[in-house]
Amino acid sequence: MLYIIIACSLLVAACLYLVLVPFFGRGGLAAIAETETGLELKHVYESVNELEMDALMNKISADDFHSLKESYYRLAAETIKEKHEVDDDIRDALNLIRSKAGTADTGQ
């Protein structure tokens, strides 16, 4: 009887593991958390591509297509701007570190 309980427990643990691993892997909750902080440009481009396909197949009206496309392009522009601001912040921090390292080297 004990063997059956242990086997069932291991089976339940294995099933839970297989169900929960995708959420904590690269494409699961980690990717969701990454996109919450900043929308990935790739997703915006994919959405615009799907929108264009819908427009070509006459699934949406021309007015809806243009308004949605404009909003996606606005999102892409904001995402690019945010990434450039982060790059500028990193560059400033690197320059500060380099200047401190340069003054430390010349002071010796």
Side-chain angles (χ1 to χ4, degrees):
M1 182 73 173
L2 182 63
Y3 294 116
I4 294 173
I5 293 173
I6 292 173
C8 288
S9 298
L10 289 175
L11 184 63
V12 167
C15 290
L16 283 174
Y17 173 78
L18 292 175
V19 168
L20 295 176
V21 163
F23 292 110
F24 296 103
R26 293 183 181 187
L29 291 179
I32 292 170
E34 187 176 301
T35 56
E36 284 178 0
T37 57
L39 191 63
E40 287 194 28
L41 201 56
K42 176 180 136 182
H43 297 299
V44 175
Y45 287 141
E46 288 173 356
S47 298
V48 170
N49 199 11
E50 288 180 31
L51 182 66
E52 289 175 347
M53 289 297 294
D54 289 344
L56 288 173
M57 295 187 320
N58 294 326
K59 289 185 175 181
I60 60 173
S61 68
D63 293 335
D64 289 341
F65 169 73
H66 291 297
S67 66
L68 287 170
K69 187 174 179 179
E70 182 180 321
S71 66
Y72 281 130
Y73 281 165
R74 195 174 314 115
L75 279 173
E78 290 173 5
T79 303
I80 291 170
K81 183 179 178 184
E82 287 175 8
K83 288 186 180 190
H84 283 295
E85 288 173 358
V86 169
D87 290 343
D88 290 341
D89 292 342
I90 292 171
R91 190 176 305 112
D92 293 342
L94 267 173
N95 288 336
L96 180 65
I97 292 170
R98 287 178 181 155
S99 67
K100 285 183 180 179
T103 56
D105 289 341
T106 58
Q108 291 180 350

